[in-house]
Amino acid sequence: MVAAKDLLTIAIPKGTLYKETVKLMGLAGLDIEFMKDPGRQLLLQSEKEAVRFIICRPTDIPTYVEYGAADLGLAGKDTIMEQHKDVYELLDLKYGGCRFVVAVPKGKEEQELQFWNQTRVATKFPRIAEEFFRHQGMQMEIVKLHGNIELAPIVGLAEMIVDLVSTGRTLRENNLIPVADVLSSTTRLIANRVSHRLKSDRINPLVERMRQVVEEGTLNGAG
């Protein structure tokens, strides 16, 4: 059995990004057969390749990597920015894309963004929102919520929201109109800073294989 210190541990996201992440690992040359149907297992290990995979919530991955429980991890750029963990970002993997917008109630979308200066904005992502408005020269009162962001302007909790959108359907259903783009986010490969130095002989070749997969576009093309 491979000793824990000799394993390369990779934290990968459960949920919607899992299947595409496993495909990426396969295209990068790792054995993925045992990963295709993990059941309830959260820890998978390939003895032959001395690689261990931790399957966890996407928002937890930067924490696993920062503290060295994982050498590498795959996390959204938005999560990396919001949490501001001490990790090394290695590669933009170009999948799992999403975007953040500023949205206001329908009928008020004609107002210039600066009109809303020194008002309240509701969001699940206070660091991202605060940084965006600071770059706009605006001082906002950030109201952090954990769900139902769209409700805030309806009940008067906030004048606008900053939130993640895909199709925009939820915004339309709540009579909210996007007025500014905040951030576009894709999945990134991150590394623990110590691991990146001490396990460079294993990490660097894997990163280069992943880079080649991304550049060739085979992740979204090949079977």
Side-chain angles (χ1 to χ4, degrees), residues 6-171:
D6 297 323
L7 287 169
L8 182 65
T9 302
I10 306 174
I12 61 175
K14 59 166 56 176
T16 56
L17 293 178
Y18 181 79
K19 187 175 180 180
E20 205 161 5
T21 298
V22 170
K23 183 178 178 181
L24 170 64
M25 296 297 163
L27 290 171
L30 297 179
D31 177 20
I32 60 169
E33 287 304 312
F34 68 103
M35 299 173 65
K36 289 182 177 178
D37 185 19
R40 292 183 172 273
Q41 295 183 80
L42 300 177
L43 203 59
L44 304 172
Q45 186 167 319
S46 169
E47 291 288 336
K48 183 175 75 172
E49 296 180 316
V51 175
R52 177 172 61 180
F53 295 96
I54 302 173
I55 305 173
C56 51
R57 289 178 55 136
T59 52
D60 289 338
I61 288 176
T63 301
Y64 278 84
V65 174
E66 181 184 45
Y67 284 91
D71 302 305
L72 298 173
L74 290 86
K77 179 65 174 180
D78 55 299
T79 299
I80 297 167
M81 289 181 64
E82 181 62 37
Q83 297 185 7
H84 204 59
K85 299 292 187 183
D86 185 21
V87 298
Y88 187 25
E89 186 177 323
L90 300 175
L91 189 61
D92 181 354
L93 299 170
K94 309 285 190 187
Y95 70 92
C98 61
R99 67 190 183 104
F100 288 79
V101 300
V102 179
V104 302
K106 189 174 182 179
K108 298 183 178 181
E109 66 270 20
E110 298 302 323
Q111 301 284 0
E112 294 287 339
L113 190 62
Q114 294 292 331
F115 170 83
W116 302 98
N117 191 31
Q118 297 185 337
T119 60
R120 292 192 301 270
V121 55
T123 184
K124 298 177 188 175
F125 308 93
R127 186 186 294 272
I128 288 174
E130 186 174 4
E131 185 171 331
F132 170 77
F133 287 112
R134 186 171 67 249
H135 281 258
Q136 304 301 316
M138 299 171 66
Q139 292 183 329
M140 306 295 288
E141 182 179 348
I142 307 294
V143 180
K144 183 177 180 181
L145 296 176
H146 296 279
N148 301 115
I149 302 297
E150 299 81 8
L151 185 61
I154 297 173
V155 300
L157 177 61
E159 282 70 34
M160 56 169 51
I161 68 170
V162 168
D163 204 13
L164 181 66
V165 297
S166 50
T167 64
R169 178 181 173 183
T170 303
L171 292 182

Side-chain angles (χ1 to χ4, degrees), residues 200-215:
S200 60
D201 59 326
R202 299 202 59 195
I203 290 175
N204 290 345
L206 179 59
V207 172
E208 287 309 308
R209 292 197 299 271
M210 288 187 182
R211 190 190 310 277
Q212 186 174 1
V213 170
V214 172
E215 290 175 352

